[in-house]
C-alpha cells in the first residue's frame, strides 16, 4: 500500500501531479535544439540527463522495466514472453493507492491491457483509436480464467460493435492528420480531459507518442525541413521500411536511401516535439503546470543504417540504449545538465520520491535508484542492459522468409551489457563479447577486448555480480516462459506487424 507523505520542505520539495511522456524510439544522438525546441526549452528550465540509458533495446521490456523498476531478466517480459505478469507491482498502482487519479494514453500496441500494462490505471486509452473498445483485443491466453475479462468487456458500451471498428478505420484513414499515428488525437484528448476534470485528487498521467517508430511517415511540412537536398518527400516516403526484411537480406538500402530515412526519422522527432509543446500548453491552460513534474524520455533508440542495422533488435549498441531524459518542475527546476549515469528503471524511485510517496511493495522488488537532487540513494557508477530473446524469433523469420542469412542466425542469443563512464562491455550466452572505450570510441566501432583482457574480466565480474549466470536460464525468465503464448486478435497482429515486430 502506498503512503502519500506530502512533504514540501526546502530540501525535499514535492509536486502535486506527475506527467510522464515517452517519445517512443527517440535516441539521444538525434536530439538537438534545431530538431526539438520544446524539449530543449524544458531542459533549460528543468534538468537534462546527458547519460540516461534504457535497460533494453525495444519497447516491451523497456516499458516493463520503467513500470516495475526491474531489469528484463527480473520482470521476465521479453520476446519469448510478451506479457507483464500480475505478481509484479507497477508504478501506476503505487500512484493509485496513494490517492492519485491515474490516466494513460498509449499509442504503442504493446503498452495496452492486452499485454498487462493496464494495472493501476483508472483509464488506459489507445491513442490511435477514435472510439475506445477492448473488443479488438481478443482473449489473452496466459494460464488464467478469461471469463471475468470477457464479461467486463461485454459490459462496455461499444464492445463487439462493428460500427466501432469501422469508425476507427475511418478515423485512421480519413480523419487522422496526415503523417500522424495518434499523437494529435492523444494530445487533444488530454487537453479536453484536463479542462473537463472535476476530480480534486492529484493525477498521474502517462502518455506514449509513437511517431518516431517505423514506419517514418511525418507530415510533409516537417519532412521537407530535414530531407537531404534535392530529395522529394514522395521519393523518401516511397522507400520500403521493413527492418526484419532488411535484416534477412530480402531487399537492400543504399547510403542515400538511409540518408532519406534519417531525414524522415528526424522529422518525426520534430513532429512529436510539437505535440510535446501542445501538452505543456494544455497543462498551463488548465492551471496545472506549476504544480506538475513533467518527465520526458525515449524508451529506446533506433538504428537507421548504423552498424549495418535497421530498427531496434538484436544488439545493445548505445544507438539503441542512450536516450533523452528531461525532467521539469519541483526540485528539478533550474537543475542544469547532469552527467551522472542513470537508467530508465530509476524513474519509479525518482517519481515516487518527488511526489512524496512511499510504496514498500514496489520498493522491495525494484532495482531502482532515485536521482532526485536530494536523494540519499547511491549514484550509479555503471548502468546495465539486457536483450533476453529476439523479437520476432528466428523461427518466425524462417516462416516468413524461408532460409535466413547466417548473420541473422547468430542473433538468436541472449546479450547483457555493462557501461561505465569510460568503458562498455557486451557479452552473449554464445561466447560473443565486445569491449569499447566509449570516451574515445563513442560510436562503438572498435572492439578492444583482445587488447584489454583484465578490463574484460573486471566488467564480466560486474555482470556476474548483478545477474545470474548468462549461460543459465534466469528463474524469473523460466517461470515467465510457462504458458507464455498470447492469443492476439488480428488487428493487434496487423498493427505489430506494421511496427516491424511480427
Amino acid at each position: 500500500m502506498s503512503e502519500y507523505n506530502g512533504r514540501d520542505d526546502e530540501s525535499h520539495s514535492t509536486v502535486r501531479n506527475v506527467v510522464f511522456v515517452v517519445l517512443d524510439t527517440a535516441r539521444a544522438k538525434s536530439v538537438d535544439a534545431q530538431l526539438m525546441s520544446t524539449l530543449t526549452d524544458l531542459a533549460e528550465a528543468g534538468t537534462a540527463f546527458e547519460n540516461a540509458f534504457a535497460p533494453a533495446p525495444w519497447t516491451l521490456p523497456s516499458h516493463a522495466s520503467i513500470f516495475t523498476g526491474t531489469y528484463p531478466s527480473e520482470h521476465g517480459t521479453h520476446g519469448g514472453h510478451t506479457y507483464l505478469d500480475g505478481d509484479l507491482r507497477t508504478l501506476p498502482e503505487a500512484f493509485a493507492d496513494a490517492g492519485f487519479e491515474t490516466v494513460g494514453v498509449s499509442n504503442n500496441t504493446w503498452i495496452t491491457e492486452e499485454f498487462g500494462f493496464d494495472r493501476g490505471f483508472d483509464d488506459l486509452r489507445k491513442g490511435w483509436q477514435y472510439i475506445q473498445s477492448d473488443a479488438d483485443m481478443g482473449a489473452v491466453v496466459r494460464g488464467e480464467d478469461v471469463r471475468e475479462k470477457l464479461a467486463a468487456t461485454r459490459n462496455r458500451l461499444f464492445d463487439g460493435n462493428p460500427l466501432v471498428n469501422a469508425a476507427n478505420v475511418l478515423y485512421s484513414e480519413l480523419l487522422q492528420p496526415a503523417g500522424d499515428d495518434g499523437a494529435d488525437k492523444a494530445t487533444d484528448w488530454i487537453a479536453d480531459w484536463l479542462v473537463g476534470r472535476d476530480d480534486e485528487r492529484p493525477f498521474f498521467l502517462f502518455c506514449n507518442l509513437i511517431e518516431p517508430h517505423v514506419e517514418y511517415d511525418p507530415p510533409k511540412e516537417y519532412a521537407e525541413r530535414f530531407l537531404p537536398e534535392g530529395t522529394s518527400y514522395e521519393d523518401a516516403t516511397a522507400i520500403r521500411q521493413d527492418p526484419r526484411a532488411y535484416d534477412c537480406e530480402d531487399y537492400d538500402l543504399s547510403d542515400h536511401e538511409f540518408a532519406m530515412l534519417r531525414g524522415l526519422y528526424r522529422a518525426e522527432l520534430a513532429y512529436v516535439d510539437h505535440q510535446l509543446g501542445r501538452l505543456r500548453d494544455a497543462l498551463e491552460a488548465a492551471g496545472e503546470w506549476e504544480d506538475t513534474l513533467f518527465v520526458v524520455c525515449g524508451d529506446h533508440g533506433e538504428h537507421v543504417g548504423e552498424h549495418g542495422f535497421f530498427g531496434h533488435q538484436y544488439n545493445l549498441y548505445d544507438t539503441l540504449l542512450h536516450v533523452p531524459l528531461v525532467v521539469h518542475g519541483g526540485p528539478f527546476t533550474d537543475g542544469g545538465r547532469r552527467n551522472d549515469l542513470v537508467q530508465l528503471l530509476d524513474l519509479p524511485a525518482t517519481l515516487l520520491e518527488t511526489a512524496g510517496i512511499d510504496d514498500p511493495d514496489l520498493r522491495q522488488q525494484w532495482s531502482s535508484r532515485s536521482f532526485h537532487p536530494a536523494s540519499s540513494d547511491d549514484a550509479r557508477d555503471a548502468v546495465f542492459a539486457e536483450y533476453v530473446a529476439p523479437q520476432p524469433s528466428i523461427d518466425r523469420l524462417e516462416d516468413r522468409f524461408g532460409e535466413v542469412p547466417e548473420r541473422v542466425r547468430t542473433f538468436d542469443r541472449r546479450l547483457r551489457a555493462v557501461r561505465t563512464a569510460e568503458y562498455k562491455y557486451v557479452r552473449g550466452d554464445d561466447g560473443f563479447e565486445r569491449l569499447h572505450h566509449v570516451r574515445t570510441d563513442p560510436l562503438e566501432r572498435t572492439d578492444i577486448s583482445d587488447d584489454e583482457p583484465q578490463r574484460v574480466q573486471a566488467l564480466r565480474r560486474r555482470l556476474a555480480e548483478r545477474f545470474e549466470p548468462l549461460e543459465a536460464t534466469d528463474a524469473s525468465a523460466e517461470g515467465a516462459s510457462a504458458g507464455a503464448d498470447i492469443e492476439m486478435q488480428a488487428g493487434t497482429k496487423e498493427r505489430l506487424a506494421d511496427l516491424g515486430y511480427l
Side-chain angles (χ1 to χ4, degrees), residues 288-304:
E288 301 285 4
W289 180 249
E290 296 299 326
D291 294 327
T292 295
L293 185 73
F294 196 74
V295 183
V296 184
C297 71
D299 62 335
H300 57 77
E302 182 80 323
H303 281 126
V304 196

Side-chain angles (χ1 to χ4, degrees), residues 184-205:
D184 189 74
K185 177 179 176 294
T187 306
D188 282 346
W189 184 89
I190 291 171
D192 291 342
W193 170 76
L194 285 168
V195 172
R197 70 187 295 268
D198 56 5
D199 197 318
E200 295 183 356
R201 293 178 294 169
F203 61 81
F204 170 75
L205 171 65

Side-chain angles (χ1 to χ4, degrees), residues 20-295:
F20 175 34
V21 182
V22 173
L23 306 181
D24 206 298
T25 321
R27 61 187 192 182
K29 68 172 291 184
S30 291
V31 173
D32 56 43
Q34 176 195 15
L35 188 69
M36 305 189 76
S37 59
T38 300
L39 190 61
T40 300
D41 290 345
L42 290 170
E44 290 177 352
T47 304
F49 292 85
E50 302 289 338
N51 289 301
F53 291 86
W58 64 290
T59 292
L60 185 71
S62 184
H63 275 74
S65 290
I66 292 170
F67 275 42
T68 65
T70 61
Y71 288 99
S73 61
E74 294 172 333
H75 59 62
T77 309
H78 49 74
H81 177 75
T82 55
Y83 185 80
L84 181 61
D85 286 325
D87 58 351
L88 288 163
R89 181 77 165 166
T90 68
L91 182 63
E93 286 178 311
F95 275 104
D97 286 350
F100 282 62
E101 183 181 7
T102 53
V103 173
V105 182
S106 174
N107 287 286
N108 191 306
T109 313
W110 289 119
I111 314 306
T112 58
E113 179 182 355
E114 188 166 3
F115 300 100
F117 284 88
D118 59 318
R119 293 199 313 279
F121 282 108
D122 297 326
D123 186 11
L124 178 59
R125 304 177 64 84
K126 304 181 189 73
W128 69 90
Q129 290 190 346
Y130 182 70
I131 295 176
Q132 299 295 304
S133 171
D134 287 338
D136 61 302
M137 296 194 308
V140 180
V141 179
R142 52 181 184 275
E144 69 176 75
D145 190 345
V146 298
R147 285 176 295 181
E148 291 184 5
K149 180 180 290 290
L150 294 176
T153 299
R154 283 195 300 271
N155 289 334
R156 301 200 181 205
L157 178 60
F158 293 112
D159 284 357
N161 188 338
L163 294 178
V164 171
N165 295 330
N168 284 323
V169 170
L170 179 66
Y171 170 74
S172 297
E173 296 184 354
L174 299 177
L175 303 179
Q176 189 164 273
D180 182 276
D181 198 18
D184 189 74
K185 177 179 176 294
T187 306
D188 282 346
W189 184 89
I190 291 171
D192 291 342
W193 170 76
L194 285 168
V195 172
R197 70 187 295 268
D198 56 5
D199 197 318
E200 295 183 356
R201 293 178 294 169
F203 61 81
F204 170 75
L205 171 65
F206 164 77
C207 181
N208 172 293
L209 302 178
I210 200 173
E211 274 69 13
H213 201 292
V214 165
E215 291 184 358
Y216 319 136
D217 57 345
K220 185 175 183 179
E221 62 270 26
Y222 283 84
E224 289 176 340
R225 292 165 47 193
F226 299 103
L227 289 174
E229 186 175 352
T231 299
S232 72
Y233 176 76
E234 289 72 23
D235 286 344
T237 53
I239 298 172
R240 184 181 179 186
Q241 297 185 42
D242 190 339
R244 302 294 75 81
Y246 175 81
D247 292 337
C248 291
E249 300 177 2
D250 194 54
Y251 77 110
D252 196 16
L253 290 167
S254 67
D255 291 344
H256 181 61
E257 286 172 319
F258 268 127
M260 288 190 284
L261 289 176
R262 282 190 286 273
L264 294 177
Y265 173 73
R266 286 172 58 81
E268 294 280 30
L269 289 171
Y271 178 69
V272 293
D273 185 74
H274 166 68
Q275 300 295 342
L276 201 61
R278 293 184 61 219
L279 285 175
R280 178 190 57 194
D281 293 345
L283 286 162
E284 290 176 342
E288 301 285 4
W289 180 249
E290 296 299 326
D291 294 327
T292 295
L293 185 73
F294 196 74
V295 183

